[in-house]
Amino acid sequence: MRSDRGGRESLIDRVGSQLPSPFAGDQEAAWIEVIRKMDEVYADLLRYETDLEEKNAALEEAQAFISSVIESVSDILIVCDRHGSILQVNPAAVRLLGDSAGTLLHRSLTDLVDPADRGRIDTLLQAQCPSEISNLEIRFVTERGLSDLYAINGATRCDPAGHRLGAVLTGRPIGELRRAYEALHAAHSELQHAQRQLVEQEKMASLGRLVAGVAHELNNPISFIYGNIHTLDRYRDRMSAYLGAIHRGADPAEIERLRRDLKIDALLADYGSLIEGTLEGAMRVADVVKNLRRLSFPKSGESLRVDVDRVVRTAVRWAARAKPHHVDFAFDIAPDLQILGNEGQFHQIIVNLIDNALDAVRGQTAPRIEIVARRDGDQIVITISDNGAGLPDGLIDKIFEPFFTTKPVGEGTGLGLWISYGIAREHGGTLAAANRSGGGAVFTLMLPAP
């Protein structure tokens, strides 16, 4: 009888010829059955041996793969037992500590750590929870002295029953990273400082435009008041001479002569218009001061109803006063338009947009700026358009970025539109720019209506 399992000879084949001759009949059959069962067990043992060899080869391959991965990892890896003795290290840890792997085995991890950090290592080694991962920053004691700072992740190592066996530590140097971060932080701080300076510069530029507009706005009424007061002062001298003659009892002929020479009748007739003109000039000065008081920023978060027509016209008048060239302004503002917000900041947006429009139309033969304001649902839409050269192609999406400007060097900081865009967003609105089909640019400001 032959077995076909792998071509190997069966146990019956081996021992069949050795069966004792006295066995015959049922006894021989029983003996053959026993041998057959033994043959099957023998075949299973051979198969199990083959499977075991295959699994052992796979296990060795997996172990070699894991070892190659551990050796190629740039982070340090240290495995300790429950007492803190080192059981395994990878080549990165060997290079760091400056010793051979065999020498490091069974050494206490605490001895390889900076004395100032040993307390945190002891706490890690005594941790009980297997799911808890500790994050440490420590330095190691190497042959070259203290190492750079390392970021360590430590976890408790447990057996299948949950009993603590030790700890596993992985880490990477963060000293260079921290120094790079500190350098980046310093550069960022310098950039923020420069940005704050430029923002303050833009605020001072806006304040300069405001002051120039206010100066022009105040100049006319003050000059008018000054001229009237000067005239009234001359009239006072003439009236004093005339009344002095009357009080000292001069004869009627002299009084009549003084009346004609000093033009007392014309003087008295002019008093009313001089006083009215002076009062009108004083009221115009008061209005300017009142507008300035309105532009003072209220408390943070405080919103008031703002008259769109009044603020827009004031902003246009003050911005235009600061420019030397004449521009034709066209207003189309619906009546009774109001927004809910900060009047001073709204004024600042309009001044910035008008100032840019004035620069855009500089050099045009018939410079013109149109301001249109309408209510659209729950939004107030204000458009400011000019007949200048328009916005350069491809730059419309960039004009609201900080420090971006199309003006020559020294004439703009690139922050006016950025600040205006931020104010519009803070008020729950939007600010957009586009080119008009007939030439020129148009800026659209949308703010919530109360």
Side-chain angles (χ1 to χ4, degrees):
M1 182 177 182
R2 289 283 177 180
S3 173
D4 57 356
R5 293 186 179 92
R8 291 188 291 267
E9 186 179 25
S10 68
L11 189 60
I12 293 179
D13 294 333
R14 294 183 182 183
V15 301
S17 60
Q18 304 297 328
L19 290 175
S21 57
F23 292 106
D26 293 339
Q27 291 181 344
E28 181 178 0
W31 179 249
I32 291 175
E33 182 66 23
V34 170
I35 294 177
R36 182 178 291 109
K37 293 295 183 182
M38 293 177 62
D39 182 60
E40 292 178 357
V41 172
Y42 177 69
D44 290 339
L45 288 175
L46 292 177
R47 186 172 64 254
Y48 293 154
E49 181 181 2
T50 302
D51 292 343
L52 184 61
E53 289 176 353
E54 293 176 353
K55 292 180 179 180
N56 186 56
L59 181 61
E60 290 179 352
E61 183 180 353
Q63 185 176 2
F65 173 76
I66 294 174
S67 298
S68 65
V69 170
I70 292 176
E71 290 179 359
S72 61
V73 169
S74 60
D75 293 357
I76 65 170
L77 173 66
I78 302 176
V79 182
C80 302
D81 63 15
R82 70 182 64 186
H83 303 295
S85 297
I86 297 177
L87 299 179
Q88 186 176 355
V89 292
N90 69 339
V94 172
R95 290 191 296 270
L96 168 67
L97 299 174
D99 212 335
S100 64
T103 307
L104 293 173
L105 296 182
H106 306 298
R107 289 190 61 182
S108 174
L109 175 62
T110 307
D111 296 338
L112 301 177
V113 174
D114 182 11
D117 301 326
R118 290 176 181 175
R120 284 176 284 177
I121 287 293
D122 292 338
T123 302
L124 170 64
L125 295 175
Q126 295 171 6
Q128 299 293 330
C129 180
S131 61
E132 181 179 355
I133 297 179
S134 302
N135 297 313
L136 309 174
E137 292 183 1
I138 62 176
R139 287 181 170 84
F140 290 93
V141 178
T142 69
E143 291 184 348
R144 298 175 297 276
L146 288 179
S147 69
D148 212 342
L149 194 64
Y150 271 70
I152 300 295
N153 293 329
T156 303
R157 186 169 60 93
C158 299
D159 61 12
H163 300 126
R164 184 172 63 88
L165 297 179
V168 178
L169 289 79
T170 60
R172 62 180 53 187
I174 61 173
E176 293 184 3
L177 180 61
R178 174 163 293 185
R179 287 190 291 270
Y181 174 78
E182 291 175 353
L184 178 62
H185 179 69
H188 183 255
S189 298
E190 292 179 0
L191 179 61
Q192 286 183 322
H193 178 67
Q195 181 178 352
R196 285 194 297 268
Q197 286 184 326
L198 287 173
V199 170
E200 291 300 323
Q201 180 181 345
E202 177 63 25
K203 289 181 179 179
M204 293 303 296
S206 298
L207 181 60
R209 292 193 294 268
L210 176 65
V211 170
V214 172
H216 283 284
E217 192 74 12
L218 291 175
N219 184 58
N220 287 339
I222 290 178
S223 298
F224 194 52
I225 292 173
Y226 178 79
N228 287 352
I229 294 297
H230 183 69
T231 301
L232 288 172
D233 183 60
R234 290 188 292 105
Y235 285 1
R236 180 184 62 85
D237 293 338
R238 291 157 60 182
M239 184 60 71
S240 297
Y242 179 69
L243 292 177
I246 294 176
H247 290 160
R248 70 172 179 268
D251 58 81
E254 183 181 356
I255 293 176
E256 183 63 25
R257 182 183 59 80
L258 288 174
R259 181 177 180 178
R260 290 193 308 270
D261 293 343
L262 297 177
K263 301 178 181 179
I264 298 301
D265 293 338
L267 180 150
L268 292 175
D270 202 21
Y271 261 135
S273 61
L274 287 174
I275 294 175
E276 290 177 1
T278 303
L279 289 175
E280 181 182 354
M283 291 178 63
R284 289 179 60 182
V285 172
D287 288 339
V288 173
V289 174
K290 188 183 298 182
N291 285 333
L292 285 175
R293 292 183 62 184
R294 288 196 187 102
L295 294 180
S296 62
F297 288 9
K299 296 180 181 178
S300 178
E302 182 181 355
S303 295
L304 302 173
R305 289 178 178 268
V306 179
D307 184 359
V308 173
D309 181 75
R310 177 179 55 80
V311 174
V312 168
R313 291 181 183 272
T314 301
V316 169
R317 188 167 60 250
W318 289 1
R321 292 281 190 177
K323 298 295 182 178
H325 54 283
H326 173 74
V327 177
D328 181 23
F329 285 94
F331 295 90
D332 184 7
I333 302 176
D336 301 325
L337 287 185
Q338 291 183 335
I339 65 167
L340 189 64
N342 185 302
E343 181 172 335
Q345 293 179 338
F346 176 53
H347 178 275
Q348 185 177 6
I349 295 178
I350 302 300
V351 167
N352 285 336
L353 296 180
I354 294 298
D355 186 70
N356 285 340
L358 289 169
D359 289 336
V361 299
R362 185 169 51 189
Q364 299 294 321
T365 55
R368 180 180 175 84
I369 297 175
E370 300 177 1
I371 299 99
V372 179
R374 292 284 186 272
R375 184 182 183 115
D376 184 7
D378 58 352
Q379 297 281 327
I380 301 297
V381 181
I382 304 170
T383 60
I384 299 176
S385 55
D386 60 70
N387 63 345
L391 300 170
D393 295 336
L395 299 182
I396 294 180
D397 295 334
K398 297 182 179 181
I399 60 175
F400 295 113
E401 295 179 0
F403 313 116
F404 178 83
T405 180
T406 58
K407 296 180 181 179
V409 177
E411 292 190 14
T413 61
L415 294 174
L417 290 178
W418 176 60
I419 293 174
S420 300
Y421 181 82
I423 294 174
R425 293 290 299 271
E426 289 174 1
H427 281 69
T430 59
L431 179 60
N435 282 322
R436 298 198 305 174
S437 57
V442 55
F443 285 82
T444 303
L445 173 65
M446 300 181 65
L447 295 171

